[in-house]
């Protein structure tokens, strides 16, 4: 009864795979409430499940589509690379939670019909009215049964037995939650006799003309009224058309008619080719500015509804993203319809990942074992057949992280024969023999630049100068994952983009990843893998998206939108320069607006063809400090209203004035004679400052545990437990000098400090801080590597009545040295509470680089003004860095009796070392002497 669960067979009894389409033939959705019972082993509720007369009135009710582990049964498990069961292919443990589903329905639509499941995780066996139809594996792919002759007009009973684990699970080791269940639509489709069941739209584009041929399994008529096309299937026509592209997703809607059925067509004409090592669409090079998208919703898991899919597409378009890699499985078919319609280039990836075999030294890896051949081929065929008619799909990806094996050669050959119109991607086989792209994940900036120049080292296992080596260097390069968006970050998005734009070899890159996979906890918070007590466990590694799990854009997404903006606007020499980074479009769909202070005006957009630049003279401008020029949508689009900002640039109009603080005598300033700390500034009660070198580590500070873990080095050295000593407080009329030393417990190393206070007019004080390191700054206890500082600055304790921050500098969102492009220069005001970014794992956040001045104020409360020489970084929050560091959930962060203000000379960058290269040296704070100045004044 359960042999099929552990057999290599991908399925039995299913119809051949075919295109997913909509038609006017009757269709019955079987989504909704099903009778459901979960049992602990593959035997399920026993053989009676199929019996139409079985009384299931005592069973539970479960909505379909859904994952039962998110509906109160059993629990979701998250692993990154490890299998949650022994590597013992094709077997799975006897503990194999099994859900039996039953549903009754009527079918008034005649004899011929097909039963379709769009996705069942991980293995389903199906009976209709007591007759077994067959079984299937391959969770994120559809399967169908011919039910002709089995249906009755009323009282049909469909029974489905779903196993959490099966042999198929070995091919589905993606870094994501394991979420069993019938999680995509179930539907019954009437199939009129002599109707078309499958067809293949071939629609290419060359020099203003589209060539169309629709092949089908039965004769039919193709109609595209807008083009005046009416012809039989199998015939070819060439007509003048507008091409389809992600930038201008021109679709021609029409029909394919046969057997009394009208099938909806959405034809996009486009030709994908690789010429001289460059990826071209419609004859011109394209650059993917992409994201890796998993299907995720905090409540529904991978059972996404149409509105959520549309939300993803709209958010991508609004943030200048032009491409999606469907990591790591074909998405719900509606998602591809939306990509056709809104315009996104798609790398459609197959549901194949065998990552966990890494723990077996790759012994028995399915792509290298003939026994798995059919199962792998089945998945590739189901993907290609289902998605072959989407113009948005421009690349097939055979899967992810499955090492290498001869079967990839067979899969490649099959795809080439079936669909020669699209190139093929596979990253992990370093010979790239079965890939049309060279490809890697997570290179450093230097490595990427070397790749761009064609000077990358020959991969391990490939002989230098061998045919594989030579061929690879001639391939376009696709960066399928980079910029790990875990927690606060990623850094260097702009640095990567500059390299990607600089070399012709690059056809684009996909940030890892689109959305955090946090699941809604019963208390309203979010769960990550580590919140479920199970080993192996991927912990927080599932929280690595540009969107928070509830689809709120993170600062990382805003940074990405800026780094990839389609127009680069620079202002120099009295002109505005526009570099058009669209691959196909000119700028006629945009409007240009300028602002200086509160004054606004418009500029005429010149004709700037794709991938070219132009400039226009600056108009007469009012007096002001900063000019901002924005490119906005001129008209409403499907994804954003007119006025939506797609790009912007800024320039400082007046040369920066040298900092010149007034002098005078101390008045209204009180120091503690023992500590030399400020006690009062006018009416403002103040505590500190003390030297602060600690930040609550961001995820990227932790590296990958075994690699690039700066946090470990910081803690080994003791930067999280620095103690302070005061050696001398020398008070004079015109200066107070405080000398001391700050150092970690148990260590000889430390920082000598001198804080020199001088009056700076109006009861204000100027503080010059000199920091001199002492001792040997290596993480001797654990490795002997040089240590750098997370931050260098001052910490001040201020009254809790301060509620608001107003500053001139970068904003309005948070910024760091390697993630500051999205923050423009201006004057901003925000509530202190709103300055916190609620990362689901508490960590450093809310910094602002390049702050010229800052005022903290509260109603009926004396405030504080800080001025930089010329700049400082600030964070202001109601808890300390130590509180942030200790907390494991945002709900644990409780306001203290103080506002804690950090005024920093600098903070190190963010990087993306949680799955990437180490943070570049230029974004770190090395151990060396530092001097910096700020002015503090009471305010209001
Ligand atoms: C890479 C995986 O392809 C992706 O699914 C995800 O796990 C990512 O890492 C980290 O979040 S594989 C890794 C070995 C580079």
């Amino acid at each position: 009864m359960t042999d099929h669960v552990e057999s290599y067979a991908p399925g039995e009894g299913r119809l051949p795979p075919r295109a997913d389409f909509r038609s006017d033939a009757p269709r019955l959705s079987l989504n909704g409430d099903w009778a459901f019972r979960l049992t602990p082993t593959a035997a399920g509720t026993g053989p009676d499940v199929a019996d139409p007369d079985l009384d299931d009135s005592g069973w539970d009710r479960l909505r379909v589509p859904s994952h039962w582990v998110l509906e109160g049964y059993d629990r979701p498990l998250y692993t990154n690379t490890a299998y949650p069961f022994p590597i013992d292919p094709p077997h799975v443990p006897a503990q194999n939670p099994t859900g039996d589903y039953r549903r009754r329905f009527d079918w008034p639509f005649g004899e011929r019909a097909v039963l379709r499941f769009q996705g069942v995780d991980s293995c389903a066996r199906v009976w209709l009215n007591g007759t077994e139809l067959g079984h299937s594996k391959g969770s994120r792919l559809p399967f169908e049964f011919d039910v002709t002759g089995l249906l009755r007009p009323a009282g049909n009973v469909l029974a489905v037995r779903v196993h959490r684990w099966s042999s198929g699970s070995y091919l589905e080791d993606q870094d994501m939650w394991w979420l069993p269940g019938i999680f995509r639509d179930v539907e019954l489709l009437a199939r009129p006799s002599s109707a078309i069941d499958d067809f293949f739209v071939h629609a290419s584009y060359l020099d203003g003309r589209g060539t169309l041929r629709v092949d089908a399994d039965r004769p039919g008529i193709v109609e595209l009224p807008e083009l005046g096309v009416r012809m039989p299937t199998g015939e070819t026509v060439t007509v003048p058309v507008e091409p389809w592209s992600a930038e201008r997703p021109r679709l021609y809607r029409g029909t394919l008619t046969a057997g009394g059925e009208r099938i909806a067509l959405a034809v996009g004409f486009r030709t994908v080719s690789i010429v001289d090592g460059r990826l071209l669409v419609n004859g011109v090079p394209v650059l993917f500015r992409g994201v890796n998208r998993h299907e995720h919703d905090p409540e529904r898991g991978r059972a996404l509804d149409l509105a959520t899919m549309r939300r993803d597409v709209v958010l991508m378009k609004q943030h200048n993203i032009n491409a999606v890699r469907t990591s790591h499985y074909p998405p719900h078919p509606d998602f591809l319809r939306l990509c056709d319609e809104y315009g996104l280039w798609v790398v459609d990836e197959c549901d194949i990942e065998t990552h966990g075999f890494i723990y077996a030294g790759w012994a028995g890896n399915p792509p290298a074992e003939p026994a798995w051949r059919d199962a792998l081929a089945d998945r590739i065929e189901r993907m290609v057949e289902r998605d072959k008619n989407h113009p948005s799909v421009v690349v097939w990806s055979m899967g992810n992280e499955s090492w290498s094996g001869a079967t990839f050669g067979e899969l490649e050959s099959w795809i080439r024969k079936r669909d020669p119109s699209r190139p093929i991607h596979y990253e992990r086989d370093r010979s790239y023999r079965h890939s049309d792209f060279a490809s890697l994940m997570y290179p450093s900036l230097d490595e990427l630049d070397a790749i761009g120049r064609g000077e990358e080292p020959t991969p391990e296992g490939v002989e230098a100068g061998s045919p594989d080596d030579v061929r690879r260097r001639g391939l376009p390069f696709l960066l399928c994952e980079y910029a790990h968006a875990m927690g606060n970050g990623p850094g260097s998005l702009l640095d990567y983009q500059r390299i990607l734009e600089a070399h012709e070899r690059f056809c684009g890159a996909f940030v890892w990843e689109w959305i955090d996979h946090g699941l809604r906890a019963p208390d309203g918070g979010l769960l990550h893998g580590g919140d479920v007590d199970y080993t192996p466990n991927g912990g927080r590694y599932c929280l690595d998206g540009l969107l928070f799990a509830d689809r709120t854009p993170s600062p990382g997404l805003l940074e990405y939108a800026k780094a990839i903006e389609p127009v680069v606007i620079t202002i120099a020499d009295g002109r505005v320069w526009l570099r058009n980074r669209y691959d196909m479009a000119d700028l006629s769909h945009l409007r240009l607006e300028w602002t200086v202070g509160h004054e606004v005006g418009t500029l005429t957009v010149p004709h700037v063809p794709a991938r070219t630049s132009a400039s226009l003279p600056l108009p007469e401008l009012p007096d002001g400090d900063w000019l901002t020029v924005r490119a906005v949508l001129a008209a409403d689009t499907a994804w954003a209203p007119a006025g939506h900002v797609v790009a912007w640039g800024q320039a400082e109009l007046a040369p920066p004035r040298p900092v010149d603080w007034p002098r005078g005598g101390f008045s209204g300033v009180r120091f503690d004679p023992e500590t030399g700390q400020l006690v009062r500034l006018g009416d403002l009660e103040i505590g500190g400052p003390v030297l602060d070198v600690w930040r609550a580590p961001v995820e990227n500070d932790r590296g990958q545990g075994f690699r690039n873990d700066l946090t470990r080095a910081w803690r080994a050295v003791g930067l999280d437990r620095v103690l302070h000593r005061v050696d001398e407080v020398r008070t004079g009329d015109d200066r107070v000098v405080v000398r001391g030393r700050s150092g970690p417990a148990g260590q000889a190393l430390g920082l000598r400090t001198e804080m020199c206070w001088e009056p700076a007019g109006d009861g204000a004080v100027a503080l010059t801080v000199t920091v001199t390191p002492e001792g040997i700054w290596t993480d001797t206890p654990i490795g002997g590597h040089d240590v750098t500082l997370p931050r260098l600055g001052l910490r001040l304790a201020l009254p809790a009545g301060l509620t608001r921050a107003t500053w001139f500098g970068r904003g309005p969102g948070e910024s760091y040295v390697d993630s500051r492009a999205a923050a423009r220069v201006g004057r901003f005001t925000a509530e202190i509470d709103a300055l916190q970014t609620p990362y689901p794992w508490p960590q450093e956040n809310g910094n602002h680089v390049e702050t010229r001045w800052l005022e903290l104020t509260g109603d009926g409360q004396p405030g504080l003004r800080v001025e930089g020489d010329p700049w400082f970084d600030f964070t202001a929050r109601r808890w300390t860095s130590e509180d942030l560091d200790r907390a494991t959930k945002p709900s644990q962060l409780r306001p203290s009796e103080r506002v804690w203000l950090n005024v920093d000379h600098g903070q190190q960058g963010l990087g993306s070392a949680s799955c990437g290269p180490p943070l570049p040296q230029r974004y770190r704070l090395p151990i060396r002497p530092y001097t910096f100045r700020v002015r503090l004044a009471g305010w209001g």
Side-chain angles (χ1 to χ4, degrees), residues 253-294:
R253 306 228 178 231
T255 52
L256 172 60
T257 313
E261 180 187 42
R262 278 151 48 96
I263 293 170
L265 293 180
V267 177
F269 293 89
R270 50 130 197 76
T271 295
V272 186
S273 59
I274 293 177
V275 179
D276 294 336
R278 295 190 88 175
L279 178 72
L280 311 181
V281 180
N282 302 333
V284 302
V286 289
L287 191 71
F288 300 141
R289 299 169 175 100
V291 286
N292 281 282
R293 173 184 182 266
H294 268 285

Side-chain angles (χ1 to χ4, degrees), residues 352 354 362 364-374 376-377 380 398 402-415 424 426 428-435:
I352 296 178
T354 63
W362 294 104
N365 184 34
E369 297 291 326
W372 289 98
R373 196 210 148 274
D374 288 354
L376 293 164
I380 290 284
M398 293 198 285
S402 303
W403 206 243
S404 56
T407 300
F408 278 120
E410 293 183 47
L411 304 181
E412 178 212 348
S413 311
W414 184 88
I415 301 174
I424 299 170
Y426 182 64
R428 187 46 56 165
D429 180 341
R430 293 287 172 255
S431 76
Y432 299 97
R433 237 171 257 169
H434 311 301
S435 176

Side-chain angles (χ1 to χ4, degrees), residues 4-201:
H4 69 286
V5 178
E6 295 177 286
S7 81
Y8 290 101
E12 207 180 287
R14 302 168 306 174
L15 285 166
R18 62 186 183 122
D20 184 276
F21 60 79
R22 300 255 176 83
S23 83
D24 60 0
R27 170 180 165 275
L28 178 70
S29 169
L30 296 176
N31 294 348
D33 280 354
W34 290 50
F36 177 75
R37 186 163 273 183
L38 186 69
T39 54
T41 70
T45 58
D48 294 346
V49 69
D51 181 355
D53 297 327
L54 175 78
D55 178 10
D56 58 21
S57 56
W59 290 27
D60 294 345
R61 291 288 171 271
L62 180 74
R63 61 173 161 177
V64 168
S66 75
H67 304 281
W68 69 68
V69 290
L70 302 184
E71 305 288 323
Y73 301 88
D74 199 359
R75 57 191 180 159
L77 300 176
Y78 167 62
T79 63
N80 172 4
T81 50
Y83 288 108
F85 45 79
I87 307 177
D88 178 25
H91 303 291
V92 294
Q95 297 103 310
N96 188 0
T98 292
D100 282 352
Y101 292 73
R102 287 168 55 92
R103 194 192 202 286
R104 256 164 239 280
F105 62 91
D106 299 337
W107 176 254
F109 303 115
E111 274 279 283
R112 273 197 83 210
V114 164
L115 172 65
R116 175 157 73 195
F117 293 84
Q118 290 284 14
V120 181
D121 189 333
S122 84
C123 171
R125 188 168 174 198
V126 186
W127 298 265
L128 178 61
N129 295 331
T131 302
E132 175 161 0
L133 301 177
H135 63 85
S136 187
K137 296 162 197 159
S139 299
R140 271 70 60 170
L141 288 160
F143 56 94
E144 292 178 318
F145 299 106
D146 183 355
V147 294
T148 304
L150 291 176
L151 289 162
R152 316 191 262 260
N156 297 282
V157 178
L158 182 60
V160 188
R161 174 161 290 161
V162 181
H163 305 284
R164 182 164 200 177
W165 311 120
S166 69
S167 62
S169 307
Y170 283 94
L171 308 181
E172 297 175 1
D173 192 25
Q174 294 94 341
D175 172 8
M176 61 188 193
W177 292 94
W178 298 88
L179 300 175
I182 304 178
F183 76 100
R184 285 185 189 159
D185 312 291
V186 185
E187 48 208 342
L188 252 182
L189 312 166
R191 303 305 307 133
S193 54
S194 63
I196 286 171
D197 286 325
D198 191 22
F199 61 96
F200 198 161
V201 175

Side-chain angles (χ1 to χ4, degrees), residues 80-81 174-175 294 325 328 353 355 400-401 428 441-442 481 484 512-513 541 544 915:
N80 172 4
T81 50
Q174 294 94 341
D175 172 8
H294 268 285
R325 174 176 177 235
H328 300 299
E353 175 159 345
H355 213 151
N400 186 57
E401 290 287 0
R428 187 46 56 165
M441 298 178 178
Y442 307 102
E481 292 180 26
H484 201 242
W512 188 266
E513 64 176 308
Y541 223 54
D544 55 0
C915 186

Side-chain angles (χ1 to χ4, degrees), residues 353-675:
E353 175 159 345
T354 63
H355 213 151
F357 279 85
I358 196 171
Y359 301 103
W362 294 104
N365 184 34
E369 297 291 326
W372 289 98
R373 196 210 148 274
D374 288 354
L376 293 164
D378 174 71
R379 288 167 188 245
I380 290 284
E381 289 167 26
R382 282 157 73 194
M383 169 180 76
V384 171
E385 296 299 355
R386 190 195 76 166
D387 295 342
K388 58 187 181 273
N389 293 329
H390 289 287
S392 57
V393 174
V394 286
V395 178
W396 298 118
S397 164
M398 293 198 285
N400 186 57
E401 290 287 0
S402 303
W403 206 243
S404 56
T407 300
F408 278 120
E410 293 183 47
L411 304 181
E412 178 212 348
S413 311
W414 184 88
I415 301 174
R416 290 212 193 284
K417 238 172 86 202
R418 181 66 179 136
D419 178 23
S421 79
R422 293 174 175 98
I424 299 170
H425 175 259
Y426 182 64
E427 184 263 350
R428 187 46 56 165
D429 180 341
R430 293 287 172 255
S431 76
Y432 299 97
R433 237 171 257 169
H434 311 301
S435 176
D436 293 312
F437 301 87
S439 187
L440 278 179
M441 298 178 178
Y442 307 102
S444 69
L445 294 165
D446 290 343
E447 286 162 348
L448 189 67
D449 199 52
I451 292 167
R453 298 192 310 268
E455 291 169 10
E456 75 273 19
T458 302
E460 220 176 293
V462 177
E463 202 186 310
S466 65
D468 281 341
D469 193 29
V470 172
R471 177 178 171 275
R472 189 200 66 256
R473 281 182 207 280
L475 297 176
F477 187 93
L478 186 152
L479 184 56
C480 63
E481 292 180 26
Y482 80 115
H484 201 242
M486 186 176 185
N488 191 345
S492 278
L493 283 168
L494 191 60
D495 300 328
Y496 277 103
Q497 201 57 35
R498 287 201 174 117
I499 297 171
L500 291 163
E501 312 258 353
H503 302 283
E504 291 193 346
R505 188 180 184 193
F506 293 124
C507 62
F510 296 81
V511 165
W512 188 266
E513 64 176 308
W514 175 237
I515 184 168
D516 279 358
H517 307 202
L519 292 175
R520 186 68 64 209
D523 69 358
L526 285 175
L527 298 177
H528 56 74
D531 293 320
V532 181
D533 182 15
Y534 190 84
T535 305
N537 198 307
R540 304 194 301 275
Y541 223 54
C542 58
L543 303 176
D544 55 0
L546 294 172
L547 290 182
F548 292 115
D550 67 0
R551 287 191 161 69
T552 309
S554 79
L557 180 58
L558 306 187
E559 183 74 6
Y560 193 41
K562 176 66 178 154
I564 59 176
E565 59 189 353
V567 191
V568 179
I569 301 172
T570 43
I571 299 147
D573 309 325
R575 300 186 74 80
V576 179
W577 298 82
L578 303 173
R579 184 150 67 83
N580 179 356
R581 294 204 288 193
Y582 288 108
D583 294 318
M584 283 137 190
D586 62 19
L587 304 186
S588 52
H589 63 295
L590 299 176
R591 227 170 44 213
L592 280 180
E593 296 175 352
W594 61 258
T595 52
V596 175
H598 292 295
E599 310 236 18
V600 297
T602 55
L603 297 167
T604 311
V605 182
H607 178 61
V608 194
R611 289 189 173 231
T612 67
S613 295
S615 73
L616 62 156
L618 271 182
E620 280 289 304
L621 293 171
D623 284 345
D625 292 336
W626 280 80
L627 165 68
T628 306
V629 176
R630 295 185 174 83
V632 306
L633 289 178
D636 292 349
T637 63
W639 46 270
H644 168 86
V645 178
V646 304
W648 54 270
Q650 279 193 306
E652 194 162 9
L653 292 178
R657 289 177 283 273
V659 173
D660 185 18
W661 295 330
R663 304 198 48 111
F666 287 118
S667 73
V669 187
R670 251 183 56 212
F671 295 94
D672 179 316
E674 294 290 313
T675 64

